Amino acid sequence: MSDDKQKVKKTELEARRKRVNRLKKIIVIIVVVCLLLPSVLCLALWMKVAHLERQMNTIVENYGVRQQSLKKDTAYAADVKKQKKMDLSEEDQTKIKGKKVYLTFDDGPSENTEKILKILDEYDVKATFFVIGQTDEYSKKLYQKIYAQGHTLAMHSYTHQYQKIYKSLFAYKKDLSRLSDLLFETVGVRPKFVRFPGGSSNTVSNIDMKDVIRYLKKEGYIYFDWNVINGDATGENLTKEEMVNNVISGVKQYDTSIVLMHDSAGKEKTVETLPTILKKLKKMKVSVLAINNTTIPVQHIKAEEVE
Ligand SMILES: [Zn+2]
């Protein structure tokens, strides 16, 4: 009897242990789910916000460039009319000689950077890259490669997020010095040429751009806007021919052309049109150069007019 009793007790204990274990498991699962679920949701939300921010930046950038090109179109409407798709006669060729063309690529490094570098190398020309902040190893190698190949490494913005960088002068300074630090750590240089996201005449900044310009001047930075665009950020889906024509007809108008293009994912057409543009520029016998200390800056808000 006592043996049986002991057996029963043992079985009861066993069953109880099992119940406790099961309960423990359930509690652990509940705790894990409670911890994990909000984290996963947070991550998903964060990714969504980042995606939306990127979209907003593109929209704002496109808008800025579009406004610029519209302004330019109005200002030079007369010239353009006169020009009307002129072919390069010999007279034009001589007129064009001595012109300086600075090709500039914003928003890199990207998956297109190496392709751009290869083409520039094939045509033996140097360009300027206004880069943003990227800390992955591939991007860091690209900063180094741009510099090592003799192109001008210049600064655009670390985050390129308008609502962040143009929130206050302090925020702008912080963003720029963060990029300067990253490039100094990666390449060993602190670039002095800068391009504002959206340009100096952007209409999205919360701060007076003149305050930012004053700061840049004080620190010895030189900023560059543009007077020629290939149209890869106008928001219109231009054909390759239109993009080439934008650059060539723009270059014809100025002694110094600063050509705005983009080095970013999705701007494959910019890469594809580059050889044609370079071929035409070579034929026009213009000098294709990287921005340097002797370059006369193109500025929508002129630095010299800001006291
Ligand atoms: Zn940009």
Side-chain angles (χ1 to χ4, degrees):
M1 256 329 253
S2 84
D3 260 11
D4 279 353
K5 255 188 186 174
Q6 259 183 357
K7 247 186 199 167
V8 169
K9 209 173 175 187
K10 217 174 168 185
T11 327
E12 267 175 12
L13 269 172
E14 194 71 25
R16 211 174 136 191
R17 200 176 306 134
K18 271 187 189 162
R19 268 203 312 277
V20 169
N21 276 344
R22 209 178 306 136
L23 218 71
K24 267 189 199 164
K25 259 188 211 161
I26 290 169
I27 290 169
V28 167
I29 289 170
I30 289 172
V31 168
V32 167
V33 167
C34 284
L35 285 175
L36 223 60
L37 205 65
S39 311
V40 170
L41 280 175
C42 273
L43 194 72
L45 275 173
W46 178 76
M47 280 166 76
K48 183 79 192 161
V49 167
H51 176 72
L52 286 173
E53 259 177 12
R54 272 198 305 276
Q55 269 188 331
M56 203 184 92
N57 279 344
T58 317
I59 292 165
V60 171
E61 178 112 317
N62 289 347
Y63 179 76
V65 172
R66 210 186 147 82
Q67 290 300 98
Q68 278 316 316
S69 61
L70 284 178
K71 263 187 218 163
K72 203 195 86 180
D73 285 352
T74 328
Y76 294 95
D79 289 345
V80 173
K81 240 186 198 173
K82 240 187 281 161
Q83 258 187 359
K84 255 198 172 179
K85 268 206 173 181
M86 59 176 183
D87 281 311
L88 280 181
S89 65
E90 270 184 40
E91 197 193 338
D92 293 327
Q93 295 249 11
T94 26
K95 252 193 270 168
I96 279 162
K97 267 184 206 168
K99 278 180 183 282
K100 289 184 173 129
V101 178
Y102 298 89
L103 301 181
T104 68
F105 297 91
D106 285 13
D107 300 353
S110 77
E111 58 194 37
N112 284 328
T113 312
E114 278 195 289
K115 289 178 220 159
I116 294 172
L117 288 174
K118 199 166 164 253
I119 297 168
L120 293 173
D121 191 46
E122 275 163 20
Y123 286 84
D124 195 22
V125 291
K126 304 295 176 206
T128 305
F129 291 79
F130 288 98
V131 297
I132 58 164
Q134 316 250 45
T135 51
D136 59 286
E137 289 309 309
Y138 180 64
S139 298
K140 283 184 177 177
K141 286 223 167 66
L142 290 173
Y143 293 134
Q144 291 162 349
K145 211 167 169 182
I146 290 169
Y147 183 70
Q149 293 192 359
H151 303 288
T152 298
L153 186 65
M155 297 198 284
H156 197 24
S157 156
Y158 191 99
T159 63
H160 204 293
Q161 289 174 21
Y162 293 80
Q163 70 275 34
K164 262 191 193 169
I165 54 175
Y166 294 138
K167 203 169 153 191
S168 65
L169 184 58
F170 177 74
Y172 180 83
K173 288 180 190 173
K174 212 172 115 188
D175 178 86
L176 196 68
S177 63
R178 197 174 165 202
L179 181 58
S180 178
D181 288 347
L182 172 67
L183 296 176
F184 184 67
E185 279 160 28
T186 318
V187 190
V189 287
R190 286 195 185 276
K192 61 182 256 190
F193 304 129
V194 172
R195 172 170 286 153
F196 297 113
S200 64
S201 58
N202 77 79
T203 48
V204 292
S205 176
N206 279 330
I207 37 172
D208 186 349
M209 287 308 286
K210 286 186 178 161
D211 290 338
V212 190
I213 291 169
R214 233 169 262 127
Y215 164 73
L216 290 190
K217 277 171 77 173
K218 196 179 86 202
E219 295 295 314
Y221 288 114
I222 302 168
Y223 63 93
F224 287 81
D225 289 314
W226 55 88
N227 52 4
V228 177
I229 59 168
N230 69 344
D232 65 356
T234 50
E236 290 157 29
N237 192 17
L238 299 184
T239 64
K240 288 189 209 170
E241 205 193 345
E242 284 170 325
M243 286 168 79
V244 172
N245 280 340
N246 277 343
V247 176
I248 301 303
S249 64
V251 164
K252 282 177 190 170
Q253 297 180 42
Y254 308 102
D255 287 334
T256 296
S257 297
I258 310 264
V259 185
L260 170 69
M261 295 188 276
H262 290 83
D263 165 16
S264 50
K267 307 284 185 204
E268 281 68 31
K269 251 194 251 174
T270 298
V271 180
E272 288 157 20
T273 52
L274 200 52
T276 317
I277 289 170
L278 286 169
K279 241 176 256 165
K280 286 188 184 257
L281 291 178
K282 286 242 150 163
K283 213 172 151 198
M284 288 161 75
K285 296 202 166 31
V286 299
S287 308
V288 180
L289 303 160
I291 287 175
N292 59 68
N293 288 327
T294 67
T295 311
I296 302 160
V298 167
Q299 295 170 332
H300 300 154
I301 296 181
K302 298 209 173 355
E304 63 205 30
E305 286 165 14
V306 178
E307 295 293 309

